[in-house]
C-alpha cells in the first residue's frame, strides 16, 4: 500500500475544510449580492508590452483603484520594488489553472524613506468579479495607524463592496489613550462607519474566518456590500484621503520607543500573512496559495519561505 505523508494529509484536510468554509461565505455573499452576479464571466486581458503588470479587468471599480493609488503615490513618493518577482517567476502577475482566477501584486517603498515600511497594491479577478487592495504599512518613526483597503464589484458592476480599516499600532492598548482614540477612531472616522452603514440596501460582510485577520480589526472597520459604484468610490476615497492627511501631520515616535513599535508592527504583518495563507491556500492550493499570500503581504520575515528579500 502507498504510504501517506502525514504533513500532506494534514494540509489536504485543512484545504478541504477551509474550502467548504469559503464556499459557505460565497453563498452568503451570493444571497446578499444576487446569484446572477456570480454567473457572469469577467473580462481579463493585458495591456502594454514586456513585463508590464498593467491589467484591465473591465470592472467598474478599476478606475477608482488607479486614481487612489496615484494619490498615495504622489503623497508618499513611492518607487516599485522587485519583491514580488521572487515569488512570481520574475513578474507581478499570477494565474490559478484550477479556478481560472488571476491577479497582480506589487510592493512599493518610499523613494526617500521617512514614513513607511511599504505599500502593497494587489488585484484579483475571477468569474464573480474583481477586487482591488491598497495597504499602507507605516514604519516605526511616526505614530499613525496602518491603512488597509479592499474594494471591488461583481462582474456585471451591479454590486460593489468596500472593506476599509485603520489598524492600531504601538504597545498602548486602543482606548487607554483618549487623545489617540479620538484622533484616529472618533469623530470623523466614527461618522464614516455610521454613514456607510446607513446607505439603503447595504449589507454587512461576514468577518474573516481567520483569527489572525480578525486580530487586526479596529472598531472603525468598514465591511459592507450592496453599494453602488458611486457610494463605494466615495467611501474608499475618503478612507485614503483621511489617512494621507494624518501622515502629513503625524507625530514622531521618540527614538527610545521605535524598537517596540517595530516589533509590534512586524507581529501585525505576520498576522496578516497568516490570514492570507489560510485564505489563499484554501482557494488555490498550498503552492500558489503560499506565493499569493507572500506577495499580497509584502516583506515579512515569516513569509520568506522559499526566498524573498
Amino acid at each position: 500500500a502507498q504510504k501517506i505523508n502525514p504533513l500532506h494529509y494534514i494540509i489536504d484536510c485543512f484545504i478541504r475544510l477551509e474550502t467548504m468554509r469559503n464556499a459557505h461565505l460565497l453563498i452568503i455573499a451570493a444571497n446578499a449580492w444576487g446569484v446572477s452576479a456570480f454567473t457572469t464571466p469577467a473580462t481579463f486581458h493585458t495591456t502594454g508590452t514586456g513585463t508590464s503588470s498593467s491589467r484591465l479587468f473591465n470592472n467598474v471599480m478599476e478606475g477608482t483603484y488607479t486614481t487612489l493609488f496615484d494619490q498615495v503615490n504622489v503623497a508618499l513618493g513611492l518607487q516599485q520594488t522587485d519583491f514580488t518577482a521572487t515569488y512570481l517567476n520574475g513578474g507581478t502577475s499570477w494565474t490559478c489553472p484550477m479556478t481560472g482566477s488571476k491577479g497582480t501584486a506589487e510592493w512599493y517603498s518610499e523613494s526617500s524613506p521617512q514614513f513607511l515600511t511599504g505599500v502593497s497594491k494587489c488585484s484579483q479577478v475571477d468569474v464573480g468579479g474583481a477586487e482591488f487592495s491598497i495597504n499602507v504599512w507605516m514604519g516605526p518613526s511616526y505614530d499613525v495607524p496602518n491603512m488597509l483597503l479592499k474594494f471591488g464589484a461583481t462582474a456585471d458592476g451591479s454590486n460593489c463592496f468596500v472593506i476599509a480599516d485603520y489598524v492600531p499600532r504601538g504597545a498602548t492598548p486602543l482606548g487607554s489613550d483618549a487623545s489617540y482614540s479620538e484622533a484616529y477612531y472618533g469623530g470623523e472616522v466614527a461618522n464614516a462607519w455610521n454613514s456607510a452603514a446607513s446607505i439603503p440596501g447595504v449589507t454587512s460582510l461576514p468577518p474573516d474566518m481567520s483569527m489572525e485577520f480578525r486580530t487586526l480589526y479596529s472598531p472603525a472597520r468598514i465591511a459592507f456590500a450592496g453599494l453602488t459604484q458611486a457610494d463605494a468610490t466615495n467611501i474608499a476615497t475618503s478612507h485614503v484621503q483621511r489617512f494621507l492627511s494624518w501622515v502629513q501631520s503625524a507625530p514622531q515616535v521618540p527614538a527610545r520607543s521605535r524598537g517596540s513599535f517595530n516589533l509590534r508592527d512586524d507581529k501585525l504583518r505576520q498576522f496578516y500573512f497568516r490570514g492570507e495563507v489560510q485564505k489563499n491556500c484554501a482557494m488555490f492550493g498550498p503552492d500558489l496559495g503560499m506565493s499569493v499570500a507572500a506577495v499580497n503581504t509584502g516583506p515579512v520575515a515569516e513569509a520568506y519561505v522559499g526566498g524573498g528579500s
Side-chain angles (χ1 to χ4, degrees):
Q2 182 179 6
K3 292 184 178 180
I4 298 176
N5 186 313
L7 178 60
H8 290 173
Y9 177 76
I10 292 171
I11 292 174
D12 181 67
C13 290
F14 172 78
I15 291 172
R16 290 175 185 271
L17 176 61
E18 288 306 313
T19 299
M20 288 188 289
R21 288 175 173 173
N22 280 294
H24 176 65
L25 295 182
L26 183 61
I27 292 171
I28 294 174
N31 289 335
W33 291 4
V35 175
S36 62
F38 288 88
T39 59
T40 304
T43 300
F44 185 95
H45 53 95
T46 305
T47 60
T49 58
T51 59
S52 173
S53 64
S54 299
R55 300 281 176 173
L56 291 178
F57 293 97
N58 195 29
N59 187 275
V60 297
M61 294 302 294
E62 186 177 11
T64 300
Y65 177 55
T66 301
T67 299
L68 292 183
F69 181 77
D70 286 346
Q71 292 179 11
V72 173
N73 190 13
V74 169
L76 299 176
L78 304 179
Q79 60 182 5
Q80 187 173 349
T81 73
D82 62 355
F83 169 76
T84 62
T86 303
Y87 300 90
L88 300 178
N89 297 319
T92 58
S93 62
W94 56 266
T95 301
C96 179
M98 179 174 62
T99 66
S101 299
K102 301 180 181 182
T104 65
E106 300 168 2
W107 177 258
Y108 291 80
S109 62
E110 291 174 287
S111 299
S112 300
Q114 180 180 3
F115 297 107
L116 308 179
T117 293
V119 178
S120 63
K121 177 190 179 190
C122 308
S123 57
Q124 181 177 324
V125 64
D126 54 32
V127 295
E131 65 178 44
F132 309 94
S133 65
I134 302 171
N135 295 335
V136 183
W137 300 95
M138 294 294 294
S141 298
Y142 291 85
D143 190 4
V144 172
N146 298 311
M147 188 201 82
L148 303 185
L149 175 63
K150 179 179 292 184
F151 56 90
T154 50
D156 63 2
S158 62
N159 288 283
C160 301
F161 77 91
V162 176
I163 301 174
D165 203 0
Y166 302 120
V167 179
R169 302 170 59 230
T172 304
L174 183 62
S176 60
D177 183 339
S179 61
Y180 184 90
S181 298
E182 179 59 30
Y184 301 123
Y185 299 99
E188 183 182 352
V189 174
N191 290 336
W193 191 97
N194 293 333
S195 296
S198 302
I199 295 173
V202 73
T203 303
S204 294
L205 291 170
D208 289 290
M209 294 301 301
S210 166
M211 174 67 78
E212 285 78 6
F213 268 151
R214 298 198 304 274
T215 300
L216 301 177
Y217 289 5
S218 85
R221 182 177 182 267
I222 290 172
F224 295 117
L227 300 167
T228 65
Q229 178 186 357
D231 286 334
T233 297
N234 288 339
I235 293 170
T237 300
S238 295
H239 189 71
V240 169
Q241 292 181 347
R242 186 181 303 114
F243 171 79
L244 293 177
S245 70
W246 291 342
V247 172
Q248 299 307 317
S249 58
Q252 277 198 319
V253 175
R256 65 181 181 277
S257 301
R258 292 176 187 175
S260 62
F261 256 80
N262 194 51
L263 289 173
R264 170 62 175 164
D265 284 344
D266 194 58
K267 182 58 66 176
L268 292 174
R269 289 166 47 68
Q270 288 177 20
F271 284 145
Y272 188 88
F273 171 67
R274 293 174 191 174
E276 285 284 320
V277 168
Q278 182 172 338
K279 179 183 71 173
N280 289 294
C281 285
M283 291 190 294
F284 307 130
D287 293 333
L288 178 60
M290 285 292 291
S291 293
V292 173
V295 298
N296 284 357
T297 303
V300 177
E302 189 173 343
Y304 294 160
V305 179
S309 59

